[in-house]
Amino acid sequence: EVQLVESGGGLVQPGGSLRLSCAASEFTFSSSNLNWVRQAPGKGLEWVSYISGSSSTIYYADSVKGRFTISRDNAKRSLYLQMNSLRDEDTAVYFCARARYIYGRETFDYWGQGTLVTVSS
Amino acid sequence: DIQMTQSPSSLSASVGDRVTITCRASQGISNYLAWFQQKPGKAPKSLIYAASSLQSGVPSKFSGSGSGTDFTLTISSLQPEDFATYYCQQYYSYPLTFGGGTKVEI
């Protein structure tokens, strides 16, 4: 069964940094495209970033562009999100989600359980 | 960016009811529309892709329809495990965007 397990969340002060990880198992990691999605407390889902299997294609939401960096290590079967210059509004549960290519576009099929990031002084 | 608008934002229903949730895109997205279910404190679960195709393992009581800008998710006979929040999402173009969610309550 496909598994995605996030880690690295915690409490950080505004302006600080944090690095999230997502460990994957039971699928061909290097050929799978991945995303980060977040959810602020009591709010809806917000897509954050996308990375292709070879890391050749990367996208960011405007709200994190220039502050967050997505990356992956295919040898370690891991996805990362480096978050810098954190703001209060970045407080959220962060999920990694696998993308599946169907009928010309990529949709999510599997999600991790999420890791909570709290930005507060 | 493509805006996704869901309605209603919440609804009350009973076990056995047929429930319909609508989702509207601010521009045409063909059928690149997905639906997700989320229970409190849990990760979202993928239900439907391509507007009407069920993800593997999803029961047939869930169905989706629509194309272009208007879409619906229908639950044919609501069961206790179906009480959750449902989100639509367009994957026609980046940035990917979600609807605001529909909370289905007793």
Side-chain angles (χ1 to χ4, degrees):
Chain A
E1 183 182 348
V2 169
Q3 283 202 331
L4 297 165
V5 180
E6 301 91 338
S7 61
L11 175 64
V12 60
Q13 292 188 337
S17 298
L18 209 57
R19 189 197 197 202
L20 305 184
S21 300
C22 174
S25 59
E26 305 304 326
F27 64 94
T28 307
F29 185 80
S30 60
S31 60
S32 295
N33 303 331
L34 298 164
N35 294 265
W36 286 102
V37 177
R38 68 184 180 183
Q39 185 171 37
K43 302 297 184 182
L45 300 168
E46 179 189 15
W47 171 79
V48 172
S49 186
Y50 164 95
I51 187 168
S52 63
S54 63
S55 303
S56 59
T57 302
I58 287 174
Y59 302 120
Y60 295 101
D62 285 346
S63 57
V64 306
K65 200 173 294 183
R67 301 186 299 122
F68 290 11
T69 301
I70 192 171
S71 64
R72 61 191 295 161
D73 185 332
N74 288 343
K76 294 183 178 180
R77 301 180 60 84
S78 292
L79 171 71
Y80 305 104
L81 187 67
Q82 177 66 44
M83 304 185 296
N84 298 331
S85 302
L86 282 161
R87 306 167 179 168
D88 291 351
E89 56 265 33
D90 296 318
T91 294
V93 174
Y94 286 74
F95 299 99
C96 60
R98 191 180 77 164
R100 177 185 169 200
Y101 188 84
I102 311 173
Y103 307 145
R105 293 290 195 280
E106 292 179 277
T107 183
F108 301 163
D109 57 359
Y110 289 96
W111 298 65
Q113 86 291 347
T115 187
L116 175 63
V117 172
T118 303
V119 183
S120 175
S121 54
Chain B
D1 298 0
I2 299 173
Q3 308 303 317
M4 305 301 293
T5 303
Q6 273 182 250
S7 61
S9 56
S10 66
L11 65 89
S12 295
S14 300
V15 172
D17 283 353
R18 179 183 179 91
V19 167
T20 297
I21 299 167
T22 63
C23 180
R24 176 165 289 177
S26 60
Q27 65 186 74
I29 59 171
S30 184
N31 66 337
Y32 296 115
L33 190 283
W35 290 98
F36 303 95
Q37 176 194 64
Q38 187 179 33
K39 297 180 180 178
K42 300 295 186 182
K45 175 185 177 182
S46 302
L47 294 179
I48 287 173
Y49 64 93
S52 60
S53 297
L54 292 181
Q55 290 279 3
S56 175
V58 174
S60 58
K61 61 182 172 180
F62 293 96
S63 63
S65 65
S67 183
T69 60
D70 294 308
F71 303 87
T72 61
L73 171 69
T74 299
I75 309 171
S76 61
S77 178
L78 206 62
Q79 296 303 305
E81 64 269 20
D82 302 327
F83 290 92
T85 300
Y86 294 84
Y87 295 93
C88 64
Q89 180 221 29
Q90 67 81 18
Y91 55 98
Y92 178 78
S93 66
Y94 286 86
L96 306 181
T97 46
F98 293 86
T102 297
K103 187 174 184 180
V104 177
E105 310 175 281
I106 299 174

